Amino acid sequence: MSDESSPLGSIEEILRLLLQMRRGHAQFANLGQRLSTFLAQIANAVEHARQSMAETINVLGEVVELEAAMQSAGWLWHYTTPLEVVRASANDPSDLKHGIDAYYREKWPDIAARLDGSVGGYDIEPATKAAFAEALRAHENGLYRSAVRLLFPEIENEVRINFFENSTKPGIAGQKELLEAVGKLPIGHVLRHPLDYRLFTKLVDHVYAQVHDANRSQIASDPVPNRHAALHGLVEYSTAQNSINALIMAEYSLRLIATLKNLTKERGVENGGQTVNCQSIAARQN
C-alpha cells in the first residue's frame, strides 16, 4: 500500500497544507502591514500637500490684496516694495501712499543700487544703461520731471537700434510692434513673478497709450507716467512717486527688450544671419 493511501501519508499532507497556510497567513499579514504603512504614508503626504497648498493660497491671497491696496495708493508692485509698510497701511490708501514714499526716501541709496545693478546686467546698449543711471541720480537730487522725461527717449532708441537697424523711418513712439512681439513671448519671459502681469498690462494699456481729450483726465489721474503725456507736456509728472513708477516701468521694459534682443540673435542664427526684427519675431511666435 502506498504512502498516499496510508493514514500517515494523509497526516503528512494535512501538515504540509497547514504549514503552507501558516506561511501564507504570515505573508498576507506582512503584506497587510506594508499596505497599511503605505496608505498611512500616502495620507500623510496628502495632508502635507493640503497644508502646503493652503499656506500657498493664503500667501498668494495676501499678496493680491496688498497689491490691490498699492494700486489704490498709486504705487507699482516691485521687488523693492516694503511689505511691512504695505501690511501696516493696507486699509488706508493715503497713509500707504505716504508710507511707501517715506520708505523709498529713506532707503533710496540701496534701492537705486539694486535698480542700477538689475539694468546693468541686461544685454542693452551702454548708452541706455548710462541714461538709466542718470535718471537714478536725477531722482536722488529731486529732479523728478527730468527722471521721467529722460527714460522714454532712451527706451525708444534702444528699440530702434536693435529691432529697426537704427532707422529713423519707422514711427515707434507707441511701440506697437514691440508690444505685439512681447505679448507673444512665452509667459516665463514676461512674468518672472505672478504680479508682473500688472506691469505688463500697465505697459500695454497705459504707458504707451495715446492721449486725447477724452482720456486725458483719466491718464492724468494715474501716478504712473504715460509716455505721450510726459514728452508732450500734457500731464505734469513732478513727484517722487511719478519718478519711481517711471523707473520701475523702465526697468521692466528694458528687461523685455533685452529678452527680445536675445531671441533676435537666436533667430538670426536660425536664418543664416539674416536680419530679424520685431515683426518677424511676432510672426514666428504665432
Side-chain angles (χ1 to χ4, degrees):
M1 186 168 52
S2 66
D3 290 342
E4 294 180 356
S5 60
S6 69
L8 290 177
S10 298
I11 293 172
E12 288 177 358
E13 182 67 24
I14 291 171
L15 291 176
R16 280 198 299 268
L17 288 173
L18 288 174
L19 181 60
Q20 290 175 1
M21 291 175 64
R22 183 175 183 277
R23 290 173 177 172
H25 177 74
Q27 292 174 354
F28 180 78
N30 183 49
L31 177 61
Q33 180 61 40
R34 290 169 60 188
L35 180 60
S36 177
T37 301
F38 178 65
L39 291 175
Q41 291 173 344
I42 291 178
N44 289 335
V46 170
E47 177 61 19
H48 179 73
R50 186 194 66 79
Q51 293 177 358
S52 298
M53 184 177 295
E55 291 173 2
T56 300
I57 291 173
N58 287 336
V59 169
L60 289 177
E62 182 193 25
V63 167
V64 171
E65 289 178 357
L66 295 180
E67 195 276 337
M70 290 183 63
Q71 279 196 80
S72 299
W75 288 101
L76 293 169
W77 184 275
H78 192 247
Y79 59 78
T80 60
T81 297
L83 289 180
E84 66 280 3
V85 174
V86 182
R87 288 192 180 100
S89 303
N91 296 322
D92 189 326
S94 179
D95 281 354
L96 182 56
K97 176 180 178 180
H98 296 299
I100 294 178
D101 183 83
Y103 174 86
Y104 276 121
R105 290 179 189 276
E106 179 184 354
K107 303 292 185 180
W108 182 248
D110 293 336
I111 292 168
R114 294 179 71 184
L115 288 166
D116 193 38
S118 176
V119 171
Y122 297 159
D123 183 14
I124 56 178
E125 298 298 310
T128 305
K129 295 179 182 181
F132 188 85
E134 288 175 12
L136 291 172
R137 290 194 293 273
H139 178 89
E140 182 177 0
N141 288 286
L143 305 175
Y144 304 132
R145 292 182 183 85
S146 299
V148 171
R149 292 180 177 176
L150 172 61
L151 293 167
F152 289 111
E154 296 301 327
I155 292 172
E156 291 166 20
N157 189 52
E158 184 73 27
V159 172
R160 183 177 287 109
I161 290 172
N162 288 291
F163 306 119
F164 295 97
E165 300 179 307
N166 206 20
S167 173
T168 60
K169 292 181 180 180
I172 63 170
Q175 307 283 17
K176 180 176 181 292
E177 291 85 1
L178 174 68
L179 296 177
E180 287 179 354
V182 167
K184 293 180 172 65
L185 285 174
I187 193 168
H189 291 296
V190 179
L191 309 180
R192 291 184 179 175
H193 184 281
L195 290 180
D196 277 357
Y197 83 96
R198 292 288 192 191
L199 297 181
F200 180 71
T201 56
K202 182 68 71 174
L203 183 71
V204 174
D205 297 338
H206 173 75
V207 173
Y208 283 101
Q210 189 77 7
V211 182
H212 43 77
D213 289 341
N215 70 352
R216 186 172 179 179
S217 60
Q218 178 186 352
I219 295 291
S221 67
D222 193 327
V224 178
N226 168 277
R227 178 258 176 209
H228 187 208
L231 296 185
H232 294 279
L234 302 176
V235 177
E236 183 180 10
Y237 295 116
S238 59
T239 70
Q241 185 179 37
N242 296 147
S243 179
I244 290 172
N245 281 338
L247 286 162
I248 290 173
M249 288 307 309
E251 179 200 33
Y252 179 67
S253 299
L254 292 172
R255 171 160 70 82
L256 295 179
I257 290 170
T259 298
L260 275 174
K261 182 177 180 179
N262 290 331
L263 285 176
T264 299
K265 291 178 180 178
E266 293 174 6
R267 298 295 188 267
V269 171
E270 291 173 5
N271 289 349
Q274 296 178 8
T275 300
V276 182
N277 55 29
C278 284
Q279 295 98 318
S280 59
I281 291 175
R284 284 171 174 267
Q285 299 300 323
N286 288 329

